[in-house]
Amino acid sequence: MSTLILALAAGAVIGLALGALGGGGSVLAVPALIYLLGFSPVAATTASLVIVTLTSVTAMVAHARDGNVRWRTGLLFAAAGIGPAMLGGALAGRIPAAVLTAAFAVVAGAAALRMLRSRPAAEGAVTVRPVRVAAAGGGLGAVTGVLGVGGGFLAVPALVSVLGLRMRNAVGTSLLVITVNSLAALAMRAGTVEGLDWAVVGPFVAAAILGAWDGKRLSVKVSGHTLQRIFALVLLAVAVFMLIDAVL
């Protein structure tokens, strides 16, 4: 029973993060699955992809209704990451658990620091540069495949800092990117999905989907800049904890 309660509580928090911030779900799901629910790093990254894919679709629908999804930018970004995501997914099982955990922590910390340093995007039209979209999307796809993350915690800062989207548009668009990249990475991990503990993953997903709707409502009430700083601080805290655990 305690495991079920932990799964429901963790799922609600992950869904809230995805709905409000357009990312952060997988970067929170992976440590929750490892440290609270006893999953191995490889199983946790696979389960995280399942959880984040289903939750992201739910949150994306809500954001799309408000016009916050930049479809052209998001599809270009996601398309560039499909190949690298599939390659990374195939390689992930060969990486030692401690290395996988440390790499996850370093990437999350770097993304958090970049977001803390960046300024809010200016209002107005956004110029989409296909070359920059493809480069950023390809890098994100590789990280998604290897680390088992949807990529929102990297997609949001990339969409804000590299492509110049406003925070609310970046949040909605990142959910499209997360969905496509996660599905591509899962395609290369199909053999490991069957071995997941669905008695834990199922309730986790259900709570995350419900939490995503609450997160969407929260995003309307809180300014984009405030969301960005909260997102970055949560990422940084998780990164520091996981890096210390991997080293020690």
Side-chain angles (χ1 to χ4, degrees), residues 11-241:
V13 172
I14 273 68
L16 191 68
L18 274 167
L21 304 172
S26 51
V27 79
L28 297 176
V30 170
L33 290 164
I34 293 174
Y35 299 111
L36 295 180
L37 300 172
F39 281 54
S40 69
V42 173
T45 54
T46 300
S48 172
L49 287 170
V50 174
I51 293 163
V52 173
T53 298
L54 295 174
T55 309
S56 295
V57 171
T58 301
M60 181 180 66
V61 170
H63 281 275
R65 287 175 179 172
D66 291 342
N68 289 329
V69 179
R70 299 270 184 164
W71 294 100
R72 180 169 177 262
T73 301
L75 289 173
L76 283 172
F77 201 104
I82 291 175
M86 296 182 73
L87 179 60
L91 296 175
R94 303 180 182 181
I95 300 175
V99 174
L100 198 64
T101 302
F104 189 101
V106 169
V107 171
L113 292 173
R114 177 164 187 170
M115 287 200 75
L116 285 172
R117 290 197 304 266
S118 67
R119 298 178 179 178
E123 301 286 336
V126 175
T127 300
V128 177
R129 297 176 175 84
V131 174
R132 296 179 70 183
V133 173
L140 177 64
V143 173
T144 297
V146 173
L147 301 184
V149 299
F153 73 107
L154 293 174
V156 170
L159 290 168
V160 171
S161 303
V162 178
L163 303 180
L165 293 189
R166 289 175 293 176
M167 185 63 182
R168 293 193 192 285
N169 289 330
V171 167
T173 304
S174 74
L175 292 166
L176 172 60
V177 177
I178 291 168
T179 301
V180 175
N181 281 348
S182 296
L183 285 172
L186 273 174
M188 301 305 295
R189 296 184 182 220
T192 63
V193 172
E194 295 179 358
L196 294 178
D197 186 352
W198 288 100
V200 174
V201 175
F204 201 123
V205 170
I209 289 174
L210 291 175
W213 287 101
D214 290 330
K216 169 60 179 62
R217 287 193 287 268
L218 178 64
S219 71
V220 175
K221 299 177 181 179
V222 182
S223 73
H225 182 54
T226 300
L227 285 175
Q228 181 174 325
R229 294 192 67 81
I230 292 173
F231 186 21
L233 290 172
V234 171
L235 273 182
L236 191 58
V238 171
V240 170
F241 174 79

